[in-house]
């Protein structure tokens, strides 16, 4: 299986920035797609961003376009989520995800999930 470990979460004031990291190991290949979901209590997991393993443009949910940037360092098997201009609504547990290919923005489209990292935006 693929192991995904997120880091970089924390408390930040509205308007501030955070960068999340996710390190992949195990049965992971650099050709895999990787991405991020987030979830708040009582709500379904929401797609945030994804980047394909080889070629193509990143995908973002509309609510984070222009503020968040997903990138990856294939040599380190690591994906990042740079979050700028954070809003209180961005408060959530952020989950790193991975799969062989990018098949959509649904949670079921990704077979591997990390344990999540908490992001709290104060106002």
């Amino acid at each position: 299986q693929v192991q995904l470990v997120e880091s970089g979460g924390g408390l930040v004031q509205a308007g501030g920035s955070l960068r999340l990291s996710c390190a992949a190991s195990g049965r992971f290949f650099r050709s895999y797609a990787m991405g991020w979901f987030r979830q708040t209590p009582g709500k379904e997991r929401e797609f945030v961003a994804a980047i394909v393993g080889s070629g193509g443009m990143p995908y973002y949910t509309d609510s984070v376009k222009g503020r968040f940037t997903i990138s990856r360092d294939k040599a380190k098997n690591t994906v990042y989520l740079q979050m700028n201009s954070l809003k209180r609504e961005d408060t959530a547990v952020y989950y790193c995800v991975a799969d062989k290919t990018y098949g959509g923005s649904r949670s079921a489209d990704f077979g591997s999930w990390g344990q999540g990292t908490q992001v709290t935006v104060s106002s």
Side-chain angles (χ1 to χ4, degrees), residues 12-14 88 121-123:
V12 65
Q13 193 172 24
R88 187 174 62 83
V121 183
S122 63
S123 61

Side-chain angles (χ1 to χ4, degrees), residues 24-44:
S25 61
R27 298 189 66 181
F28 177 84
F29 299 89
R30 295 188 176 97
S31 60
Y32 278 26
M34 301 185 72
W36 296 90
F37 281 73
R38 64 187 181 185
Q39 186 173 29
T40 58
K43 298 181 180 180
E44 294 184 352

Side-chain angles (χ1 to χ4, degrees), residues 1-86:
Q1 294 187 357
V2 176
Q3 288 79 50
L4 302 171
V5 180
E6 303 97 332
S7 62
L11 176 65
V12 65
Q13 193 172 24
S17 299
L18 283 175
R19 188 170 82 157
L20 306 183
S21 299
C22 172
S25 61
R27 298 189 66 181
F28 177 84
F29 299 89
R30 295 188 176 97
S31 60
Y32 278 26
M34 301 185 72
W36 296 90
F37 281 73
R38 64 187 181 185
Q39 186 173 29
T40 58
K43 298 181 180 180
E44 294 184 352
R45 287 175 177 172
E46 176 190 21
F47 172 79
V48 177
I51 186 167
V52 298
S54 59
M57 296 293 291
Y59 301 88
Y60 300 96
T61 190
D62 287 343
S63 63
V64 308
K65 287 181 178 178
R67 300 189 298 118
F68 291 10
T69 302
I70 187 170
S71 62
R72 67 191 296 171
D73 185 338
K74 289 191 174 183
K76 297 181 178 180
N77 294 332
T78 300
V79 66
Y80 304 94
L81 185 67
Q82 178 67 46
M83 304 184 294
N84 298 326
S85 301
L86 282 162

